Amino acid sequence: MLFMLTNRTRPDLSSADYGELAALAKAFYASMPADMKIRGEWVAVDRSVNYSLLEAPDIDTVLRLQAPFERFTDTVIVPVNSTVGWTAS
């Protein structure tokens, strides 16, 4: 299944929080589960929001992987289908 994640960094984070967030992100990328793939990533120019298109077996996997970031980001997770013109695949 495909999932679009929108992560907005909370505006009230301290320098220590940003450091912890960076460490979590590095750990995530270093040990991604074999059953999950990142299909694409984008970030706003001001870096306040990032978007990730993930392929994962189910929503529970995505929620489990996103849980460590909850303290630092406001996240929206939407299951999506790819489209071509007006048809969904």
Side-chain angles (χ1 to χ4, degrees), residues 3-7 28-29 38-43 50-55 66 76 78 80:
F3 300 91
M4 180 63 75
L5 275 69
T6 303
N7 292 303
F28 170 79
Y29 285 104
I38 297 175
R39 293 285 198 94
E41 294 183 290
W42 302 267
V43 65
N50 72 307
Y51 307 90
S52 300
L53 180 61
L54 303 178
E55 183 176 347
Q66 185 62 28
V76 175
V78 178
V80 296

Side-chain angles (χ1 to χ4, degrees), residues 3-81:
F3 300 91
M4 180 63 75
L5 275 69
T6 303
N7 292 303
R8 182 171 298 279
T9 305
R10 295 178 193 254
D12 59 346
L13 298 183
S14 68
S15 294
D17 290 333
Y18 278 108
E20 194 174 336
L21 178 57
L24 282 170
K26 286 179 185 178
F28 170 79
Y29 285 104
S31 63
M32 282 188 14
D35 61 350
M36 193 190 91
K37 294 179 185 171
I38 297 175
R39 293 285 198 94
E41 294 183 290
W42 302 267
V43 65
V45 172
D46 68 0
R47 299 199 179 270
S48 63
V49 133
N50 72 307
Y51 307 90
S52 300
L53 180 61
L54 303 178
E55 183 176 347
D58 53 48
I59 187 71
D60 291 332
T61 300
V62 178
L63 291 171
R64 180 175 41 82
L65 293 171
Q66 185 62 28
F69 298 93
E70 286 179 355
R71 189 165 79 84
F72 306 104
T73 63
D74 293 316
T75 302
V76 175
I77 302 169
V78 178
V80 296
N81 289 317

